[in-house]
Amino acid sequence: MNTDWESVADEVAKHVANYLDGLQRVASGDGNEGLVPFLLLEVSQISFTGAQLGASEDVVPDGNVEPPHALEGDVDALRQGLATRLKDVDEYVEVFDPYGAQPDLDTYRLSDDLADIAADLTHGLRHYEAGNRVEALWWWQYSYFNHWGNHAGAALRALQSIVTHARLDVAEDVTVGVADEVGVS
C-alpha cells in the first residue's frame, strides 16, 4: 500500500473544498460577471484532480469496507440555485455513448451535473473530516470512475461550448444574448 495516500488525500480534500465553495457561491447568487468562465475553471480544476486519481494506482483501504457516516448532505438547494443562475444555458445535448451501436442524443442539465459532482465529492469529504483519509481517497477515486468523472466531462464540454460560442460567433444570434446574461462576454 502506498504510504503517502494520506498526503494525497489532504491535497484532494483542498481541491474538493475549493470546488464546493465555488459552486456554493455561484448557486447563492454571488456575482454575475464571468459566471460561466468561473464554472469552466472550477470544473476543469476538479476534473484535473479526478484525472490524477484515475492515473494513480487503485486506493484500497485497510479492511476494504466503507465505514458508516452521517447521511449525505442535501444538494437540492445547490441544484436549484445553479438552475436559476444558469437558466438560459442549463440544458444541453450530449451523445451519451459515441461508440454504442446507435449513439443517442440525450438532454442534460449543467445544474444536475454540477450538483451530482458536489454530492459525490461531499460523500468523500465526510470520510475525510471523520479522519478516514484513505477511505475518502478511495471514495473519490471510485466515484470518479463510476459517476462524477462522467458528469465533469459532460459539464466541461458544455461550459467550454458556451464560452466558445460567446467568443467566436461573429453573427448576432441567441448566443450573444445568452452570453451577456450569464457573464461570458
Side-chain angles (χ1 to χ4, degrees):
M1 177 166 149
N2 185 337
T3 58
D4 202 27
W5 283 136
E6 290 189 355
S7 65
V8 173
D10 293 341
E11 284 301 310
V12 172
K14 290 176 192 174
H15 293 289
V16 167
N18 286 338
Y19 175 81
L20 295 172
D21 179 59
L23 220 57
Q24 189 59 48
R25 286 183 298 155
V26 168
S28 67
D30 189 11
N32 260 351
E33 191 169 324
L35 173 68
V36 170
F38 176 77
L39 288 172
L40 178 62
L41 183 59
E42 290 292 327
V43 174
S44 294
Q45 289 176 332
I46 203 65
S47 293
F48 179 71
T49 300
Q52 289 177 311
L53 290 171
S56 298
E57 64 185 86
D58 288 347
V59 178
V60 181
D62 293 335
N64 202 17
V65 176
E66 185 175 10
H69 57 83
L71 294 175
E72 295 306 309
D74 184 10
V75 295
D76 287 339
L78 179 69
R79 184 184 322 272
Q80 185 57 43
L82 291 167
T84 299
R85 297 295 308 280
L86 296 167
K87 67 180 179 201
D88 294 325
V89 294
D90 198 20
E91 278 193 8
Y92 67 94
V93 176
E94 175 89 350
V95 176
F96 180 70
D97 182 2
Y99 295 106
Q102 296 178 330
D104 292 326
L105 292 177
D106 292 315
T107 301
Y108 296 94
R109 288 185 177 84
L110 278 168
S111 55
D112 289 341
D113 289 328
L114 300 171
D116 283 353
I117 296 165
D120 285 345
L121 296 177
T122 299
H123 182 99
L125 195 57
R126 297 249 169 122
H127 287 300
Y128 180 84
E129 290 169 345
N132 301 318
R133 292 188 292 184
V134 175
E135 183 66 35
L137 194 59
W138 172 84
W139 174 258
W140 288 321
Q141 185 184 55
Y142 167 77
S143 61
Y144 170 76
F145 287 127
N146 192 43
H147 191 247
W148 74 264
N150 288 326
H151 285 284
L156 191 61
R157 285 187 297 279
L159 291 164
Q160 192 268 341
S161 180
I162 296 165
V163 172
T164 297
H165 284 288
R167 301 265 172 83
L168 299 181
D169 288 355
V170 178
E172 284 288 321
D173 64 8
V174 173
T175 307
V176 173
V178 168
D180 291 338
E181 289 181 32
V182 296
V184 176
S185 53

